[in-house]
């Protein structure tokens, strides 16, 4: 168990989930937290990561850092998505092990599941059929990450837990149109289309100065601004969104995700996830001071045939509820106060048609979500408008 003085490294502490986890830990009285920006520590640099662990010697690690984006980004940067994420995971997990970290929490994504997985998706449907092509590289990297955690636990008796959140949204979300996820991208498009229709060019300028689009800022001419925004389906009182609007999606408020993550970090061990009855004869291969003993075979759960096959030890994190992209757009339109037209371009990809997860394992471990989607969309829009004044 981690006490309030435990040193916890949150990798990706400036991101959507990492920042929420950081704040959640603070609220619970965990103040010995370490964070490094990408400029301060490049997690793809093995030498730099080793040096960081040598100096800081954290007791626990939350691996929330990742190279992420939506359908467009996944399609354009396929090599980057698999290579960058694999480097980050390999460096952090291997150094965590080498430095005797007591607990590690790895954050993945529900895109790990097959494209045509039975709905709602249970943890056991992992690797049962092909992945969605548009985010295959990212999914493969995340599957490798959760398998690293599982395999270290089985070979060395470590206590590494992997959680797989559904689509997340919330404070510190990415609203850059070139590489953002569906909800923030949709919200910004609708907001800008409304501002253009209202003739509120001063507010359009503030928005583009804060988050330029392809290098175009608020100082550009109205024609330049309309031209670049048109590439992303943003027009005067009209928004064009990718796909048919029929795919179903589940969304989880990032602060709920953080609460679930911290709950698992503090209260759930590997033996709880795979079943105490299976693991009762196996002792974690760690010494009393928390340093992992590489030679302690008693920690090698996977080496004991009587335990059978141990896999799919990750935990889904979500709401267990879904809505269509079209329904989401209607919710965003209502929240923003947009009275224009929303059209869907069916020539663009939809991605996976349905991605609802089964959260019964999470519920059995003592956690359920609190923020419903209607309330969450309003909160996100409030955060976005506030961010433009900072």
């Amino acid at each position: 168990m981690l006490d309030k003085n435990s040193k916890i490294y949150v990798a990706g502490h400036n991101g959507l989930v990492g920042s929420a986890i950081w704040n959640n830990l603070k609220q619970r009285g965990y103040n010995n937290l370490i964070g490094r920006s990408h400029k301060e520590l490049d997690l793809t640099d093995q030498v730099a990561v080793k040096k960081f662990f040598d100096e800081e010697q954290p007791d626990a690690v939350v691996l929330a850092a990742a190279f992420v984006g939506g359908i467009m980004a996944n399609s354009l940067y396929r090599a980057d998505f698999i290579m960058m994420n694999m480097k980050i995971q390999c460096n952090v997990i291997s150094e965590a092990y080498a430095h005797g970290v007591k607990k590690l929490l790895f954050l993945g994504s529900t895109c790990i599941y097959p494209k045509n997985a039975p709905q709602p998706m249970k943890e056991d449907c992992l690797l049962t059929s092909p992945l969605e092509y548009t985010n295959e590289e990212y999914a493969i990297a995340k599957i490798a990450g959760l398998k690293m955690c599982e395999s270290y636990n089985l070979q060395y008796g470590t206590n590494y837990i992997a959680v797989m959140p559904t689509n997340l949204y919330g404070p510190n979300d990415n609203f850059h149109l070139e590489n953002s996820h569906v909800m923030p991208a949709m919200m910004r498009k609708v907001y800008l289309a409304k501002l253009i229709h209202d003739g509120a060019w001063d507010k359009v300028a503030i928005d583009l100065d804060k988050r330029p689009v392809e290098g175009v800022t608020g100082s550009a001419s109205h024609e330049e601004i309309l031209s670049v925004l048109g590439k992303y389906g943003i027009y005067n009182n009209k928004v064009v969104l990718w796909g048919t609007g029929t795919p179903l999606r589940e969304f989880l408020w990032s602060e709920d995700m953080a609460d679930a993550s911290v709950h698992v970090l503090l209260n759930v061990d590997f033996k709880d996830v795979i079943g105490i009855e299976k693991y009762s004869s196996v002792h974690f291969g760690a010494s009393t001071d928390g340093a992992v003993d590489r030679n302690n075979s008693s920690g090698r759960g996977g080496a004991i045939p009587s335990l059978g096959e141990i896999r799919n030890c990750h935990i889904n994190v979500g709401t267990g509820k879904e809505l269509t992209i079209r329904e989401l757009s209607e919710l965003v339109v209502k929240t923003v106060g947009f009275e224009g037209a929303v059209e869907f371009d069916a020539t663009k990809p939809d991605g996976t048609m349905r991605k609802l997860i089964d959260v019964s394992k999470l519920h059995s471990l003592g956690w359920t979500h609190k923020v419903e989607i209607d309330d969450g969309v309003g909160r996100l829009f409030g955060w976005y408008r506030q961010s433009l004044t900072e």
Side-chain angles (χ1 to χ4, degrees):
M1 179 64 185
L2 298 171
D3 61 38
K4 296 291 173 68
N5 295 316
S6 298
K7 183 184 280 192
I8 304 173
Y9 168 45
V10 182
H13 76 294
N14 288 325
L16 173 65
V17 188
S19 61
I21 288 174
W22 182 284
N23 293 334
N24 189 285
L25 284 164
K26 286 274 190 184
Q27 289 162 12
R28 293 177 187 240
Y30 289 81
N31 293 307
N32 193 5
L33 307 180
I34 324 165
R36 292 288 186 276
S37 68
H38 178 67
K39 286 183 179 178
E40 293 170 324
L41 176 61
D42 179 359
L43 293 176
T44 66
D45 183 338
Q46 186 177 11
V47 174
V49 174
K50 181 182 185 303
K51 183 173 184 289
F52 166 78
F53 273 85
D54 285 344
E55 293 171 354
E56 294 294 344
Q57 299 288 333
D59 299 305
V61 171
V62 176
L63 182 41
F67 188 77
V68 299
I71 291 178
M72 185 185 291
N74 273 273
S75 299
L76 292 174
Y77 311 118
R78 298 183 76 90
D80 289 347
F81 268 86
I82 192 164
M83 187 60 75
M84 300 284 279
N85 283 298
M86 288 293 289
K87 283 183 177 179
I88 290 168
Q89 294 162 194
C90 288
N91 290 341
V92 173
I93 293 173
S94 63
E95 291 305 325
Y97 172 68
H99 291 80
V101 165
K102 298 174 188 175
K103 190 78 175 279
L104 181 141
L105 185 74
F106 171 74
L107 279 74
S109 164
T110 52
C111 72
I112 62 170
Y113 291 119
K115 179 175 183 176
N116 298 314
Q119 305 286 323
M121 299 179 290
K122 291 181 176 290
E123 287 86 355
D124 287 346
C125 73
L126 181 68
L127 296 175
T128 55
S129 61
L131 298 163
E132 160 61 39
Y133 180 75
T134 56
N135 62 11
E136 194 172 44
E137 281 71 18
Y138 183 71
I140 288 172
K142 288 300 176 183
I143 291 169
L146 74 87
K147 283 294 182 184
M148 284 180 212
C149 293
E150 198 174 275
S151 301
Y152 268 80
N153 291 342
L154 293 173
Q155 183 171 346
Y156 297 120
T158 49
N159 199 9
Y160 301 167
I161 310 291
V163 289
M164 300 295 128
T166 188
N167 300 291
L168 300 172
Y169 68 106
N172 295 311
D173 218 331
N174 176 14
F175 281 83
H176 290 277
L177 295 178
E178 294 97 328
N179 60 2
S180 59
H181 283 119
V182 59
M183 192 188 299
M186 182 188 292
M187 186 172 285
R188 188 180 181 196
K189 288 178 181 182
V190 170
Y191 179 60
L192 285 169
K194 180 181 187 299
L195 293 182
I196 293 168
H197 177 68
D198 293 346
W201 287 98
D202 55 332
K203 292 183 178 177
V204 172
I206 290 170
D207 186 283
L208 290 176
D209 282 339
K210 181 74 174 182
R211 298 176 179 87
V213 179
E214 294 186 9
V216 174
T217 65
S219 61
S221 68
H222 292 183
E223 290 74 20
E224 285 178 295
I225 290 173
L226 289 171
S227 176
V228 74
L229 293 184
K231 292 183 184 179
Y232 295 88
I234 304 164
Y235 306 97
N236 183 343
N237 218 30
K238 185 177 86 169
V239 170
V240 178
L241 302 175
W242 278 32
T244 62
T246 55
L248 287 155
R249 288 292 180 270
E250 174 183 14
F251 293 94
L252 179 67
W253 182 245
S254 61
E255 291 173 334
D256 267 356
M257 173 57 198
D259 194 60
S261 298
V262 176
H263 173 81
V264 170
L265 179 70
L266 300 179
N267 302 299
V268 178
D269 292 325
F270 183 59
K271 65 182 189 315
D272 304 319
V273 178
I274 67 170
I276 295 173
E277 71 283 352
K278 268 190 173 183
Y279 218 66
S280 59
S281 63
V282 184
H283 306 291
F284 284 107
S287 62
T288 54
D289 64 359
V292 175
D293 179 0
R294 296 170 184 264
N295 301 311
N296 186 346
S297 60
S298 67
R300 296 186 169 195
I304 302 176
S306 62
L307 289 179
E309 294 183 353
I310 295 175
R311 56 162 62 97
N312 304 327
C313 304
H314 56 286
I315 305 166
N316 287 339
V317 182
T319 64
K321 301 178 181 182
E322 61 188 345
L323 77 168
T324 66
I325 296 297
R326 186 178 295 275
E327 287 170 334
L328 175 64
S329 72
E330 291 166 357
L331 196 52
V332 170
V333 162
K334 180 181 176 183
T335 300
V336 174
F338 181 62
E339 296 179 350
V342 175
E343 298 176 3
F344 285 86
D345 181 358
T347 66
K348 295 293 193 295
D350 271 326
T352 307
M353 292 307 293
R354 196 177 180 210
K355 279 180 63 177
L356 182 66
I357 55 172
D358 184 303
V359 289
S360 54
K361 183 189 282 189
L362 178 66
H363 289 175
S364 73
L365 294 168
W367 190 90
T368 54
H369 77 282
K370 301 173 185 67
V371 178
E372 299 296 350
I373 187 74
D374 299 43
D375 180 29
V377 168
R379 292 193 196 189
L380 182 64
F381 186 53
W383 181 88
Y384 179 64
R385 289 206 297 182
Q386 178 63 33
S387 77
L388 296 173
T389 66
E390 296 170 350

